[in-house]
PDB file of all heavy atoms in Angstrom:
ATOM      1  N   MET Z 902      11.315  -8.115   0.996  1.00 96.00           N
ATOM      2  CA  MET Z 902      10.906  -9.250   1.879  1.00 96.00           C
ATOM      3  C   MET Z 902      10.681  -8.727   3.329  1.00 96.00           C
ATOM      4  O   MET Z 902       9.653  -8.933   3.895  1.00 96.00           O
ATOM      5  CB  MET Z 902      11.919 -10.384   1.845  1.00 96.00           C
ATOM      6  CG  MET Z 902      11.921 -11.150   0.575  1.00 96.00           C
ATOM      7  SD  MET Z 902      13.374 -12.330   0.596  1.00 96.00           S
ATOM      8  CE  MET Z 902      13.050 -13.275   2.007  1.00 96.00           C
ATOM      9  N   LEU Z 903      11.716  -8.075   3.824  1.00 96.00           N
ATOM     10  CA  LEU Z 903      11.729  -7.702   5.275  1.00 96.00           C
ATOM     11  C   LEU Z 903      10.564  -6.598   5.510  1.00 96.00           C
ATOM     12  O   LEU Z 903      10.221  -6.549   6.657  1.00 96.00           O
ATOM     13  CB  LEU Z 903      13.142  -7.268   5.683  1.00 96.00           C
ATOM     14  CG  LEU Z 903      13.440  -7.192   7.175  1.00 96.00           C
ATOM     15  CD1 LEU Z 903      13.096  -8.621   7.821  1.00 96.00           C
ATOM     16  CD2 LEU Z 903      14.769  -6.809   7.623  1.00 96.00           C
ATOM     17  N   ASN Z 904      10.424  -5.777   4.642  1.00 94.00           N
ATOM     18  CA  ASN Z 904       9.308  -4.831   4.786  1.00 94.00           C
ATOM     19  C   ASN Z 904       7.979  -5.505   5.192  1.00 94.00           C
ATOM     20  O   ASN Z 904       7.159  -4.881   5.892  1.00 94.00           O
ATOM     21  CB  ASN Z 904       9.045  -4.046   3.432  1.00 94.00           C
ATOM     22  CG  ASN Z 904      10.068  -2.943   3.236  1.00 94.00           C
ATOM     23  OD1 ASN Z 904      10.292  -2.578   2.087  1.00 94.00           O
ATOM     24  ND2 ASN Z 904      10.518  -2.349   4.319  1.00 94.00           N
ATOM     25  N   PHE Z 905       7.800  -6.630   4.670  1.00 94.00           N
ATOM     26  CA  PHE Z 905       6.417  -7.350   4.931  1.00 94.00           C
ATOM     27  C   PHE Z 905       6.614  -8.584   5.757  1.00 94.00           C
ATOM     28  O   PHE Z 905       5.887  -9.481   5.593  1.00 94.00           O
ATOM     29  CB  PHE Z 905       5.713  -7.580   3.584  1.00 94.00           C
ATOM     30  CG  PHE Z 905       5.411  -6.275   2.903  1.00 94.00           C
ATOM     31  CD1 PHE Z 905       6.195  -5.822   1.873  1.00 94.00           C
ATOM     32  CD2 PHE Z 905       4.471  -5.504   3.420  1.00 94.00           C
ATOM     33  CE1 PHE Z 905       5.885  -4.596   1.245  1.00 94.00           C
ATOM     34  CE2 PHE Z 905       4.086  -4.224   2.796  1.00 94.00           C
ATOM     35  CZ  PHE Z 905       4.834  -3.768   1.662  1.00 94.00           C
ATOM     36  N   GLY Z 906       7.705  -8.691   6.484  1.00 93.00           N
ATOM     37  CA  GLY Z 906       7.705  -9.780   7.449  1.00 93.00           C
ATOM     38  C   GLY Z 906       8.375 -11.065   7.004  1.00 93.00           C
ATOM     39  O   GLY Z 906       8.284 -12.130   7.678  1.00 93.00           O
ATOM     40  N   LEU Z 907       8.921 -11.167   5.832  1.00 96.00           N
ATOM     41  CA  LEU Z 907       9.573 -12.316   5.228  1.00 96.00           C
ATOM     42  C   LEU Z 907      11.052 -12.319   5.462  1.00 96.00           C
ATOM     43  O   LEU Z 907      11.696 -11.194   5.257  1.00 96.00           O
ATOM     44  CB  LEU Z 907       9.140 -12.536   3.834  1.00 96.00           C
ATOM     45  CG  LEU Z 907       7.679 -12.626   3.503  1.00 96.00           C
ATOM     46  CD1 LEU Z 907       7.460 -12.969   2.125  1.00 96.00           C
ATOM     47  CD2 LEU Z 907       7.053 -13.747   4.354  1.00 96.00           C
ATOM     48  N   ASN Z 908      11.710 -13.443   5.826  1.00 95.00           N
ATOM     49  CA  ASN Z 908      13.137 -13.385   6.150  1.00 95.00           C
ATOM     50  C   ASN Z 908      13.852 -14.426   5.545  1.00 95.00           C
ATOM     51  O   ASN Z 908      15.132 -14.598   5.770  1.00 95.00           O
ATOM     52  CB  ASN Z 908      13.368 -13.138   7.613  1.00 95.00           C
ATOM     53  CG  ASN Z 908      12.704 -14.274   8.464  1.00 95.00           C
ATOM     54  OD1 ASN Z 908      12.365 -15.254   7.946  1.00 95.00           O
ATOM     55  ND2 ASN Z 908      12.687 -13.952   9.762  1.00 95.00           N
ATOM     56  N   GLU Z 909      13.324 -15.412   4.929  1.00 97.00           N
ATOM     57  CA  GLU Z 909      14.102 -16.582   4.411  1.00 97.00           C
ATOM     58  C   GLU Z 909      14.290 -16.531   2.956  1.00 97.00           C
ATOM     59  O   GLU Z 909      13.242 -16.667   2.106  1.00 97.00           O
ATOM     60  CB  GLU Z 909      13.365 -17.822   4.776  1.00 97.00           C
ATOM     61  CG  GLU Z 909      14.216 -19.104   4.472  1.00 97.00           C
ATOM     62  CD  GLU Z 909      13.720 -20.433   5.007  1.00 97.00           C
ATOM     63  OE1 GLU Z 909      12.591 -20.329   5.728  1.00 97.00           O
ATOM     64  OE2 GLU Z 909      14.370 -21.379   4.676  1.00 97.00           O
ATOM     65  N   LEU Z 910      15.472 -16.224   2.499  1.00 98.00           N
ATOM     66  CA  LEU Z 910      15.746 -16.093   1.089  1.00 98.00           C
ATOM     67  C   LEU Z 910      16.600 -17.206   0.620  1.00 98.00           C
ATOM     68  O   LEU Z 910      17.599 -17.565   1.325  1.00 98.00           O
ATOM     69  CB  LEU Z 910      16.491 -14.759   0.837  1.00 98.00           C
ATOM     70  CG  LEU Z 910      17.110 -14.449  -0.458  1.00 98.00           C
ATOM     71  CD1 LEU Z 910      15.926 -14.348  -1.495  1.00 98.00           C
ATOM     72  CD2 LEU Z 910      17.935 -13.121  -0.429  1.00 98.00           C
ATOM     73  N   ARG Z 911      16.266 -17.828  -0.478  1.00 98.00           N
ATOM     74  CA  ARG Z 911      17.090 -18.893  -1.024  1.00 98.00           C
ATOM     75  C   ARG Z 911      17.480 -18.564  -2.455  1.00 98.00           C
ATOM     76  O   ARG Z 911      16.671 -18.023  -3.225  1.00 98.00           O
ATOM     77  CB  ARG Z 911      16.238 -20.213  -1.054  1.00 98.00           C
ATOM     78  CG  ARG Z 911      15.882 -20.684   0.423  1.00 98.00           C
ATOM     79  CD  ARG Z 911      15.139 -21.938   0.335  1.00 98.00           C
ATOM     80  NE  ARG Z 911      14.680 -22.352   1.829  1.00 98.00           N
ATOM     81  CZ  ARG Z 911      14.027 -23.395   2.074  1.00 98.00           C
ATOM     82  NH1 ARG Z 911      13.586 -24.260   1.163  1.00 98.00           N
ATOM     83  NH2 ARG Z 911      13.616 -23.572   3.312  1.00 98.00           N
ATOM     84  N   LEU Z 912      18.756 -18.761  -2.798  1.00 98.00           N
ATOM     85  CA  LEU Z 912      19.334 -18.389  -4.136  1.00 98.00           C
ATOM     86  C   LEU Z 912      19.691 -19.655  -4.896  1.00 98.00           C
ATOM     87  O   LEU Z 912      20.341 -20.577  -4.277  1.00 98.00           O
ATOM     88  CB  LEU Z 912      20.510 -17.481  -3.889  1.00 98.00           C
ATOM     89  CG  LEU Z 912      20.325 -16.220  -3.046  1.00 98.00           C
ATOM     90  CD1 LEU Z 912      21.665 -15.579  -2.887  1.00 98.00           C
ATOM     91  CD2 LEU Z 912      19.225 -15.338  -3.607  1.00 98.00           C
ATOM     92  N   VAL Z 913      19.282 -19.676  -6.148  1.00 98.00           N
ATOM     93  CA  VAL Z 913      19.625 -20.874  -6.948  1.00 98.00           C
ATOM     94  C   VAL Z 913      20.667 -20.413  -7.947  1.00 98.00           C
ATOM     95  O   VAL Z 913      20.316 -19.517  -8.882  1.00 98.00           O
ATOM     96  CB  VAL Z 913      18.396 -21.462  -7.671  1.00 98.00           C
ATOM     97  CG1 VAL Z 913      18.817 -22.562  -8.605  1.00 98.00           C
ATOM     98  CG2 VAL Z 913      17.335 -21.931  -6.590  1.00 98.00           C
ATOM     99  N   ALA Z 914      21.838 -20.884  -7.867  1.00 96.00           N
ATOM    100  CA  ALA Z 914      22.908 -20.565  -8.725  1.00 96.00           C
ATOM    101  C   ALA Z 914      23.014 -19.156  -9.176  1.00 96.00           C
ATOM    102  O   ALA Z 914      22.974 -18.784 -10.366  1.00 96.00           O
ATOM    103  CB  ALA Z 914      22.728 -21.499 -10.038  1.00 96.00           C
ATOM    104  N   PRO Z 915      23.283 -18.256  -8.213  1.00 96.00           N
ATOM    105  CA  PRO Z 915      23.374 -16.865  -8.576  1.00 96.00           C
ATOM    106  C   PRO Z 915      24.495 -16.600  -9.498  1.00 96.00           C
ATOM    107  O   PRO Z 915      25.635 -17.223  -9.377  1.00 96.00           O
ATOM    108  CB  PRO Z 915      23.617 -16.149  -7.216  1.00 96.00           C
ATOM    109  CG  PRO Z 915      24.123 -17.275  -6.299  1.00 96.00           C
ATOM    110  CD  PRO Z 915      23.460 -18.463  -6.814  1.00 96.00           C
ATOM    111  N   ARG Z 916      24.367 -15.833 -10.642  1.00 94.00           N
ATOM    112  CA  ARG Z 916      25.377 -15.688 -11.631  1.00 94.00           C
ATOM    113  C   ARG Z 916      26.723 -15.288 -11.165  1.00 94.00           C
ATOM    114  O   ARG Z 916      27.713 -15.753 -11.622  1.00 94.00           O
ATOM    115  CB  ARG Z 916      24.829 -14.655 -12.725  1.00 94.00           C
ATOM    116  CG  ARG Z 916      25.726 -14.537 -13.898  1.00 94.00           C
ATOM    117  CD  ARG Z 916      25.315 -13.341 -14.682  1.00 94.00           C
ATOM    118  NE  ARG Z 916      25.520 -12.028 -13.987  1.00 94.00           N
ATOM    119  CZ  ARG Z 916      25.282 -10.813 -14.590  1.00 94.00           C
ATOM    120  NH1 ARG Z 916      24.705 -10.813 -15.758  1.00 94.00           N
ATOM    121  NH2 ARG Z 916      25.549  -9.735 -13.897  1.00 94.00           N
ATOM    122  N   ASP Z 917      26.715 -14.267 -10.181  1.00 94.00           N
ATOM    123  CA  ASP Z 917      28.028 -13.810  -9.732  1.00 94.00           C
ATOM    124  C   ASP Z 917      28.512 -14.367  -8.357  1.00 94.00           C
ATOM    125  O   ASP Z 917      29.293 -13.810  -7.771  1.00 94.00           O
ATOM    126  CB  ASP Z 917      27.910 -12.345  -9.604  1.00 94.00           C
ATOM    127  CG  ASP Z 917      27.644 -11.612 -10.929  1.00 94.00           C
ATOM    128  OD1 ASP Z 917      28.050 -12.167 -11.942  1.00 94.00           O
ATOM    129  OD2 ASP Z 917      27.061 -10.447 -11.004  1.00 94.00           O
ATOM    130  N   GLY Z 918      27.831 -15.495  -8.034  1.00 94.00           N
ATOM    131  CA  GLY Z 918      28.270 -16.102  -6.810  1.00 94.00           C
ATOM    132  C   GLY Z 918      27.633 -15.513  -5.561  1.00 94.00           C
ATOM    133  O   GLY Z 918      26.853 -14.479  -5.708  1.00 94.00           O
ATOM    134  N   TRP Z 919      27.943 -15.998  -4.385  1.00 95.00           N
ATOM    135  CA  TRP Z 919      27.422 -15.438  -3.252  1.00 95.00           C
ATOM    136  C   TRP Z 919      28.445 -15.770  -2.035  1.00 95.00           C
ATOM    137  O   TRP Z 919      29.019 -16.848  -2.075  1.00 95.00           O
ATOM    138  CB  TRP Z 919      26.123 -16.106  -2.855  1.00 95.00           C
ATOM    139  CG  TRP Z 919      25.371 -15.408  -1.762  1.00 95.00           C
ATOM    140  CD1 TRP Z 919      25.261 -15.842  -0.378  1.00 95.00           C
ATOM    141  CD2 TRP Z 919      24.689 -14.292  -1.758  1.00 95.00           C
ATOM    142  NE1 TRP Z 919      24.507 -14.961   0.339  1.00 95.00           N
ATOM    143  CE2 TRP Z 919      24.185 -13.941  -0.465  1.00 95.00           C
ATOM    144  CE3 TRP Z 919      24.425 -13.272  -2.770  1.00 95.00           C
ATOM    145  CZ2 TRP Z 919      23.483 -12.755  -0.099  1.00 95.00           C
ATOM    146  CZ3 TRP Z 919      23.693 -12.138  -2.446  1.00 95.00           C
ATOM    147  CH2 TRP Z 919      23.212 -11.899  -1.254  1.00 95.00           C
ATOM    148  N   PRO Z 920      28.613 -14.642  -1.167  1.00 94.00           N
ATOM    149  CA  PRO Z 920      27.947 -13.429  -1.103  1.00 94.00           C
ATOM    150  C   PRO Z 920      28.405 -12.468  -2.118  1.00 94.00           C
ATOM    151  O   PRO Z 920      29.391 -12.633  -2.814  1.00 94.00           O
ATOM    152  CB  PRO Z 920      28.298 -12.874   0.391  1.00 94.00           C
ATOM    153  CG  PRO Z 920      29.493 -13.655   0.694  1.00 94.00           C
ATOM    154  CD  PRO Z 920      29.497 -14.952  -0.048  1.00 94.00           C
ATOM    155  N   ASN Z 921      27.552 -11.457  -2.333  1.00 95.00           N
ATOM    156  CA  ASN Z 921      27.699 -10.476  -3.434  1.00 95.00           C
ATOM    157  C   ASN Z 921      27.922  -9.137  -2.768  1.00 95.00           C
ATOM    158  O   ASN Z 921      26.912  -8.636  -2.120  1.00 95.00           O
ATOM    159  CB  ASN Z 921      26.665 -10.513  -4.433  1.00 95.00           C
ATOM    160  CG  ASN Z 921      26.928  -9.609  -5.646  1.00 95.00           C
ATOM    161  OD1 ASN Z 921      27.312  -8.460  -5.494  1.00 95.00           O
ATOM    162  ND2 ASN Z 921      26.657 -10.143  -6.843  1.00 95.00           N
ATOM    163  N   PRO Z 922      29.002  -8.399  -2.892  1.00 94.00           N
ATOM    164  CA  PRO Z 922      29.214  -7.095  -2.195  1.00 94.00           C
ATOM    165  C   PRO Z 922      28.224  -6.049  -2.637  1.00 94.00           C
ATOM    166  O   PRO Z 922      28.019  -5.011  -1.932  1.00 94.00           O
ATOM    167  CB  PRO Z 922      30.620  -6.718  -2.637  1.00 94.00           C
ATOM    168  CG  PRO Z 922      30.975  -7.448  -3.809  1.00 94.00           C
ATOM    169  CD  PRO Z 922      30.202  -8.725  -3.700  1.00 94.00           C
TER     170      PRO Z 922
END
Side-chain angles (χ1 to χ4, degrees):
M902 290 170 58
L903 198 56
N904 279 152
F905 296 103
L907 301 181
N908 57 13
E909 188 170 355
L910 175 63
R911 300 180 183 181
L912 307 174
V913 176
R916 185 190 67 180
D917 297 333
W919 190 258
N921 188 313

